[in-house]
Amino acid sequence: MTESSYPTLPAISSMLEAIPAPAVLLDREYRIRAANDAYRRTFQQDGALLNRHCYEVSHGYSVPCDQAGETCPLRQCQESGRRQRMLHIHNTPKGREHVDVELSPIRDEEGEIRFYVEIMQPAHPGRRERSERRMIGFSNAYTHMLELLSRAAPADISVLLLGESGTGKELAAEYLHERSPRASKPFVTVECSGLTDSLFESELFGHEKGAFTGATHRKMGLVEAAAGGTLFLDEVGDIPLSMQVKLLRLLESGAYRPVGGVTPKQADFRLVCATHQPLQELVREGRFRQDLYYRISPFPVRLPALRERGDDVLHLARHLLDSLSKQRILNFAENAEHWLRRQCFPGNIRELRNRIERAILLCDGAEIEASHLQLDDEATTDNRPLIAAAEEKLLTLEEAELCYLQQALERHQGDNASLAKALGVSERTLYRKIRTLK
């Protein structure tokens, strides 16, 4: 049976128009056989789109994604024979964007796969998008994290966000909320650090009038304020041990009592927690309840440190510069971009933002120089970034190696063969390590 005589092709093509998201029909050779209007609008294509390769249209590649160093959902679908879903990076008129790709095989009467239907959903829909609060990145580490968040967002599962301070855990929590069925309801943050036992209970559950000295009126707790929405417990590892049992009871029963109250109330929220602490170690040390840990961590997501994200540093820096310098147009000078690439940023995105805010104030011209980004004690010390990172937070050997490799790539002016020789490794080893930075 030839493709031209395959009877279901017109029917499948017409069904694409019923799909609101961009959708396309592909054959086994990656050729586009049909596309709906949403796909044409996304990639601004006309009738000439047909019979072109999907990787050419969506990526600008001359070869399939898996031959260009990326994971290819169509290749995975071919190998498994089953539906595949993954986060991909596509080139659109708006620039590079993360797209949630779902690929389903279409079989003929003999059970042979003849076509694939690919449906694409933007990972960053426009809902409540605030330019200065966007998550930005295209590195492998960031994309893996975003794919996990995208899969968890539509569900009501509790998510535990793990990572160093300054990696954007609150932004990740907002991402989960804004892409969930609860997006129209409140997003409520509970700062767990520094709360005493009594204050934590009052903040979380509220209190009735007269519950204690000074309680002159009823106070709504944050659990009640989050009704129907998302409750975000930031730095959950800092919750007093005596209060952990009350939080556990809330999560197990779905009910709570305000301080001084006698009638239980029902809670209705989606739980997202975050911490920079190693909770499993705290459990072993008896400082965090094991049963509570299992309640809050059915879906853990680790947020990568900035030093693990390669060229994301420049993407983030440019985005932050645009957001923070609204009164005038500023750009980074070439030496500033070189400086940014070499840094480990132990304070992660928070440190990068602080550096850029300071640089804007110091810059009198149209370009931010490296000197504007450096602190006074760094200006004359070439190896300060790596030393500073090690002093503030002890890096693992793998993290230190990645940081050093980034600096070596920036400073070395020759080809990779000579760099490999200078580093005392084979070219194959160097290329493998370079891929971990992308």
Side-chain angles (χ1 to χ4, degrees), residues 356-410:
I356 292 173
E357 281 188 302
R358 179 177 182 273
I360 291 171
L361 297 177
L362 295 176
C363 178
D364 294 322
E367 284 194 334
I368 288 181
E369 305 284 343
S371 59
H372 298 139
L373 294 163
Q374 295 171 328
L375 301 180
D376 293 340
D377 59 345
E378 294 174 343
T380 59
T381 310
D382 238 10
N383 63 347
R384 168 68 181 171
L386 188 56
I387 294 174
E391 288 176 349
E392 185 160 338
K393 176 187 180 297
L394 189 63
L395 304 181
T396 66
L397 290 177
E398 182 181 5
E399 291 170 341
E401 182 183 73
L402 290 176
C403 187
Y404 178 74
L405 183 57
Q406 286 176 327
Q407 295 183 26
L409 288 169
E410 276 301 313

Side-chain angles (χ1 to χ4, degrees), residues 245-356:
V245 65
K246 297 193 176 183
L247 177 59
L248 177 65
R249 190 177 300 122
L250 166 68
L251 300 180
E252 288 182 335
S253 67
Y256 67 99
R257 271 206 316 260
V259 177
V262 295
T263 305
K265 295 189 174 186
Q266 283 301 122
D268 175 22
F269 59 84
R270 194 258 184 95
L271 180 68
V272 178
C273 298
T275 183
H276 74 283
Q277 299 192 60
L279 289 187
Q280 289 179 311
E281 288 185 20
L282 298 185
V283 169
R284 287 193 293 270
E285 295 168 1
R287 296 161 56 196
F288 199 87
R289 294 181 62 100
Q290 186 178 51
D291 44 8
L292 178 58
Y293 172 75
Y294 288 122
R295 275 285 177 182
I296 67 175
S297 63
F299 199 91
V301 179
R302 178 181 172 272
L303 276 67
L306 196 51
R307 62 182 170 275
E308 302 172 56
R309 295 178 53 181
D311 286 342
D312 282 354
V313 173
L314 285 183
H315 290 296
L316 279 163
R318 291 169 184 146
H319 168 72
L320 289 169
L321 183 61
D322 290 342
S323 300
L324 296 171
S325 62
K326 295 179 179 179
Q327 305 303 318
R328 54 183 175 141
I329 298 175
L330 289 174
N331 295 296
F332 289 111
E334 186 175 348
N335 62 11
E337 293 190 350
H338 280 269
W339 186 88
L340 287 167
R341 288 193 190 98
R342 294 204 313 268
Q343 307 311 299
C344 290
F345 291 109
N348 294 297
I349 300 172
R350 186 178 295 122
E351 179 185 350
L352 176 62
R353 180 189 177 94
N354 291 346
R355 297 265 187 165
I356 292 173

